[in-house]
Amino acid sequence: MKRWERGVPVFGVPILTPAFFWMCVLAVIAVVLTLYRTVVGLAKVTAMTDAYAWGIWKSFNVMVLTGLGSGAFAVGIAANIFNRHKLHSVMRVALLTSFLAYSTGLLMLGVDVGRPWNFYWAALPWKWNLHSPLLEVAICISIYTAVALFLENVPPVLEYLFYEKPQTRTWVTKLDSLFERFFPIVMGLAYILPMMHQSSLGALMLLGGNRVHPLWQSSWLPLIYVWAAAYLGYACVSIAVMLSKLAWNRGLDLDVLDELNKIMAGLIIAWTVFRFGDIIYRGVLGTAFQPNFFAVLFWVETALTLGPAIAMLSAERRRSLKVAFLANVFVALGGMIYRFSPTTLAFRPKAAAFYFPSINELLISFGYIALAIAVFMLAVKKLAILPDSNEGWMRMAEYEKKQNPEVQLTGYSAAATAGHD
Amino acid sequence: MTAISRREALQKLAVGSVVPVAVTAGLTVLPETAHASEVVAPVGALGMLYDTTKCVGCKACVSACARVNDLAPDTRLDGLHQAPLDLNGYTKNIIKLYRPADGSAFSYVKQQCMHCIDPACVSACMFSGLTKDKGTGIISWNGSKCVGCRYCEIACPYSVPKFQWEKFNPKIVKCELCKDRIATGLQPGCTTVCPTGAVIYGKREDLLREAKRRLAANPGKYFENRVFGEEDGGGTQVLYLSHVAFEKIGLPTLGTESIPERLKWQHKLYKYLALPVALYAGMVGVMRGNWKHHITELKHEQEKTGLRPQL
């Protein structure tokens, strides 16, 4: 077992791997299809209809995947407000996954809307319809991604410049000290904005009225929705670091994973209790026992999230990597299905309406996800994102020394660098 | 600088922000009582009254609507005839038939925008591409402010707004009560041509009075002895009298609360952005101490290892 002490780039492996190549291919296909969609309109490319006017681009790429990309917000609050010190080690993973999920989500929004050229109204706040939850979502997600998440992801890039481009050191050091001083102001934004837009994503479907099945439609939908984003964020960070172990044989810090899993389990159990309480209070629990698709869907969501959460209460199971990994995968699946339900699976616009995404729609959706994965694969090899021990950093430094002796990666004790500042 | 314990952090947060959150959250659990909508119809509200017992299903209103609104013929059914299957990107008004297999009472139904008193589509629209006229209460679409997000289609309980899916520059299409004809003193296309008076045009209050007169004159003739739209979903400006159940002619059961009223707690939570700003200030307050401690630890670590600290 290792102790995670700092971010260390993945080293000694090529950037252009088959996986990376195919992700890029998928991304290029999506970009080409996006251009095609721009020319021919939505009907030829998607299976959306007037009944299901929102397809997977909004309901999956935005509403589900930004939930999965809520690690920066959910793990960040535990690390920085509730002082869970251990979690600082996975913050860079959380920040990067969130940034990629949100920025590709925003791209998808642009592809999805029919008259994107009218978006310039967003720059004129006095023209906003403040009653629209979608307005809140659009403005808030844009600011969160372009300001808060962007700034939070700058330090690893500055670090890269510091080592690799010595001529930039003067201003990198200056920027570093600025970040050191003002980071809490940025982090505050990075926590309040997701609380707002992740709950507003739930509020979107309040206007869906009775067309959303009563097991999902609730005045508390905004709170239940943002809550699901919180535990999804934990699952996503755990899965990312565990997959990195499989892909690049990185060491795992079981204490940190333990902490992540404990918090995730607590969030899910409280979420489930609250959700059931709301359903019982509204008197619609009976609909969960009707022999139909919606009841099955509801119990699948509950089983996929609550089951692993209960399993993760046991310290022994948390220490078993296989069990912990599967638990996180199930939670991610269950939470994603929950986030997908109000807009799509449990949305019943009329009796005879059906929606299944077309091939091109799926290719565009997956292509932008592939783009996010490709950027992640590239970033962890260039930047110090994935956590490792100090020892791991030393090994990387030794390896890099052989490649490029000019780059100095160690020997920066405060006394030694005092003269440079 | 010492680290702040979790308990202290919670206490600090409580002072800064949890209190207002708790107060607001506490208010939201007040029992939801069924009550009439808070939004009332404009004084000059215009509308229509449709009576299923008078409609003969001739569809003269459908073709008149397409003609006066300059809608391209929807020939997608057979490539020749204008034969729309439903309201769509080229059809603002349609006649359908409800005919149960068991041979019991059948009914025609006319569908178009209901011109809600408190419309969900207008609430949903990001930059007010859909607006409700303060004088007439007519809901109309403004292409220069519509981004084509289709949230109006999700929000409308009657599935009225439609989108031109196959267009490069798609529009949202829905009945605007022929507002340009009304401005010149004419009636809407559909009420002008209706041969039986099944759909009539007028001020909402006059139409409501006429509907109630018919109900009083014909006890037992109409479903539930009431006018659909007087209070349903907060009330509509297009009113319906039906001899079959409202749901059979596609009118949903909505209760008296309007759809946008479901957002009222959202509006309270966001009022003047006071709550988000208080929460932000509270969180930054707590984090400043924590962050200083974190930085000190990083510097300390650097002393030991000689490695540059990472934020």
Side-chain angles (χ1 to χ4, degrees):
Chain A
M1 188 187 118
K2 291 208 173 188
R3 204 157 76 77
W4 281 339
E5 288 156 318
R6 54 174 31 244
V8 178
V10 175
F11 63 96
V13 288
I15 284 173
L16 188 68
T17 56
F20 182 75
F21 174 77
W22 287 113
M23 290 299 153
C24 291
V25 169
L26 280 174
V28 169
I29 292 175
V31 171
V32 172
L33 281 174
T34 301
L35 295 175
Y36 176 64
R37 168 258 171 275
T38 312
V39 178
V40 301
L42 284 162
K44 283 217 173 68
V45 182
T46 76
M48 287 187 264
T49 59
D50 283 318
Y52 282 99
W54 284 0
I56 50 168
W57 295 348
K58 270 207 196 83
S59 58
F60 186 77
N61 288 64
V62 179
M63 300 188 70
V64 173
L65 291 185
T66 63
L68 202 59
S70 286
F73 145 65
V75 182
I77 285 181
N80 290 302
I81 294 183
F82 294 104
N83 261 318
R84 301 287 187 129
H85 271 284
K86 286 178 202 158
L87 299 182
H88 277 289
S89 59
V90 288
M91 274 314 291
R92 285 185 167 190
V93 178
L95 291 170
L96 181 63
T97 48
S98 292
F99 180 69
L100 294 173
Y102 269 86
S103 42
T104 50
L106 272 176
L107 280 175
M108 288 286 355
L109 260 186
V111 179
D112 177 90
V113 297
R115 307 163 66 87
W117 46 86
N118 277 341
F119 251 120
Y120 68 90
W121 292 105
L124 313 173
W126 58 94
K127 297 286 185 188
W128 294 352
N129 173 17
L130 295 173
H131 289 277
S132 169
L134 191 60
L135 186 274
E136 205 279 318
V137 167
I139 301 293
C140 209
I141 286 191
S142 307
I143 298 177
Y144 176 57
T145 311
V147 179
L149 275 178
F150 174 79
L151 286 176
E152 283 190 302
N153 274 288
V154 167
V157 180
L158 289 179
E159 193 184 349
Y160 171 83
L161 291 174
F162 180 90
Y163 294 125
E164 302 285 333
K165 309 266 183 275
Q167 68 272 26
T168 63
R169 280 191 184 185
T170 332
W171 59 267
V172 162
T173 321
K174 272 188 195 141
L175 280 178
D176 263 344
S177 58
L178 273 183
F179 270 99
E180 234 177 76
R181 272 181 67 188
F182 296 112
F183 220 52
I185 294 173
V186 177
M187 288 193 294
L189 266 189
Y191 303 150
I192 189 68
L193 294 176
M195 286 183 200
M196 290 162 69
H197 66 244
Q198 284 296 339
S199 60
S200 289
L201 281 171
L204 286 179
M205 292 319 284
L206 289 180
L207 286 185
N210 299 343
R211 310 202 297 168
V212 179
H213 189 279
L215 286 172
W216 287 268
Q217 183 61 287
S218 154
S219 329
W220 291 102
L221 184 58
L223 180 65
I224 300 173
Y225 219 67
V226 63
W227 203 328
Y231 69 69
L232 271 173
Y234 278 88
C236 178
V237 170
S238 293
I239 291 171
V241 289
M242 290 172 106
L243 282 180
S244 303
K245 147 114 187 139
L246 291 176
W248 302 296
N249 200 25
R250 307 279 297 199
L252 289 178
D253 185 332
L254 292 181
D255 284 340
V256 178
L257 283 176
D258 197 71
E259 183 96 346
L260 288 170
N261 287 326
K262 260 194 295 195
I263 299 176
M264 181 184 76
L267 282 170
I268 293 174
I269 289 168
W271 178 78
T272 311
V273 169
F274 187 89
R275 202 176 163 209
F276 270 83
D278 173 51
I279 287 171
I280 292 166
Y281 177 77
R282 289 185 289 112
V284 294
L285 186 64
T287 58
F289 297 98
Q290 289 165 352
N292 61 26
F293 169 75
F294 302 106
V296 173
L297 180 66
F298 173 76
W299 289 110
V300 166
E301 282 172 8
T302 307
L304 281 176
T305 49
L306 188 61
I310 290 172
M312 287 295 100
L313 289 179
S314 134
E316 199 184 321
R317 289 203 204 90
R318 285 201 301 274
R319 296 271 154 182
S320 155
L321 282 181
K322 258 185 209 159
V323 175
F325 181 70
L326 278 179
N328 277 287
V329 169
F330 286 141
V331 165
L333 270 176
M336 284 163 77
I337 295 174
Y338 168 72
R339 298 266 303 191
F340 196 49
S341 290
T343 53
T344 312
L345 299 174
F347 183 62
R348 309 163 300 170
K350 48 176 118 165
F354 179 77
Y355 164 75
F356 192 85
S358 71
I359 294 289
N360 284 337
E361 207 174 350
L362 286 167
L363 280 174
I364 290 181
S365 167
F366 290 164
Y368 284 97
I369 299 170
L371 175 68
I373 295 174
V375 174
F376 184 84
M377 292 167 97
L378 178 67
V380 296
K381 289 170 188 170
K382 288 281 175 193
L383 308 174
I385 302 287
L386 289 171
D388 204 341
S389 57
N390 286 335
E391 207 182 303
W393 180 273
M394 301 309 248
R395 268 203 307 279
M396 185 269 301
E398 239 166 73
Y399 177 85
E400 291 297 328
K401 203 159 215 162
K402 282 178 216 150
Q403 312 290 315
N404 187 358
E406 322 243 295
V407 177
Q408 183 204 348
L409 290 162
T410 56
Y412 289 99
S413 67
T417 54
H420 294 295
D421 289 343
Chain B
M1 176 58 61
T2 54
I4 307 174
S5 73
R6 201 144 57 94
R7 176 175 308 216
E8 281 172 292
L10 276 173
Q11 284 167 346
K12 273 201 170 185
L13 264 181
V15 176
S17 47
V18 173
V19 172
V21 176
V23 170
T24 334
L27 287 173
T28 60
V29 297
L30 289 173
E32 290 173 33
T33 45
H35 56 81
S37 174
E38 288 158 19
V39 183
V40 293
V43 184
L46 300 172
M48 298 190 289
L49 168 64
Y50 174 78
D51 186 333
T52 57
T53 63
K54 289 175 182 269
C55 181
V56 294
C58 71
K59 298 191 183 180
C61 58
V62 178
S63 51
C65 174
R67 194 175 66 246
V68 304
N69 284 296
D70 259 337
L71 298 167
D74 177 12
T75 58
R76 284 174 291 186
L77 185 65
D78 60 4
L80 179 63
H81 300 96
Q82 177 174 332
L85 291 175
D86 201 346
L87 294 178
N88 59 40
Y90 307 90
T91 312
K92 297 182 173 185
N93 172 46
I94 196 153
I95 294 285
K96 293 179 184 172
L97 172 63
Y98 163 71
R99 192 173 74 89
D102 64 10
S104 54
F106 70 88
S107 175
Y108 293 104
V109 60
K110 179 177 184 295
Q111 292 181 338
Q112 74 297 303
C113 178
M114 303 287 282
H115 297 281
C116 298
I117 288 170
D118 189 10
C121 58
V122 171
S123 256
C125 192
M126 287 199 272
F127 303 116
S128 297
L130 286 166
T131 48
K132 184 172 177 71
D133 188 274
K134 285 197 176 67
T136 62
I138 295 173
I139 297 160
S140 46
W141 179 77
N142 177 350
S144 71
K145 293 188 171 179
C146 171
V147 297
C149 73
R150 313 179 298 281
Y151 191 18
C152 51
E153 298 200 69
I154 300 284
C156 175
Y158 306 101
S159 304
V160 165
K162 302 293 176 189
F163 189 69
Q164 294 177 327
W165 293 94
E166 49 291 297
K167 287 276 188 75
F168 165 77
N169 182 6
K171 293 175 179 167
I172 289 289
V173 175
K174 67 176 266 309
C175 158
E176 296 176 314
L177 208 63
C178 289
K179 57 179 173 144
D180 295 339
R181 283 170 65 87
I182 287 174
T184 62
L186 293 168
Q187 283 203 9
C190 55
T191 61
T192 309
V193 298
C194 182
T196 61
V199 63
I200 56 173
Y201 160 80
K203 287 182 90 170
R204 182 177 187 265
E205 51 181 6
D206 299 338
L207 295 170
L208 195 55
R209 204 176 305 122
E210 167 61 14
K212 288 189 170 167
R213 188 194 64 75
R214 290 184 200 175
L215 286 172
N218 306 284
K221 183 178 178 185
Y222 293 107
F223 179 66
E224 286 182 348
N225 257 327
R226 69 181 188 95
V227 195
F228 185 98
E230 184 178 11
E231 287 189 319
D232 303 75
T236 55
Q237 292 179 206
V238 176
L239 305 168
Y240 279 73
L241 285 172
S242 172
H243 62 285
V244 300
F246 290 131
E247 67 178 70
K248 301 297 182 197
I249 55 169
L251 294 170
T253 309
L254 296 173
T256 56
E257 200 189 45
S258 76
I259 301 266
E261 269 179 65
R262 291 169 191 250
L263 290 175
K264 64 181 172 224
W265 292 109
Q266 293 290 109
H267 299 154
K268 290 195 171 141
L269 286 169
Y270 282 96
K271 199 151 199 190
Y272 311 122
L273 279 182
L275 195 63
V277 169
L279 248 175
Y280 173 76
M283 287 194 294
V284 173
V286 171
M287 278 190 290
R288 277 175 55 162
N290 293 352
W291 186 251
K292 268 190 189 149
H293 177 69
H294 179 60
I295 295 290
T296 318
E297 266 189 354
L298 285 177
K299 297 258 155 91
H300 185 66
E301 190 79 359
Q302 184 186 7
E303 279 309 304
K304 278 198 309 202
T305 61
L307 302 179
R308 279 190 83 230
Q310 294 177 329
L311 287 188

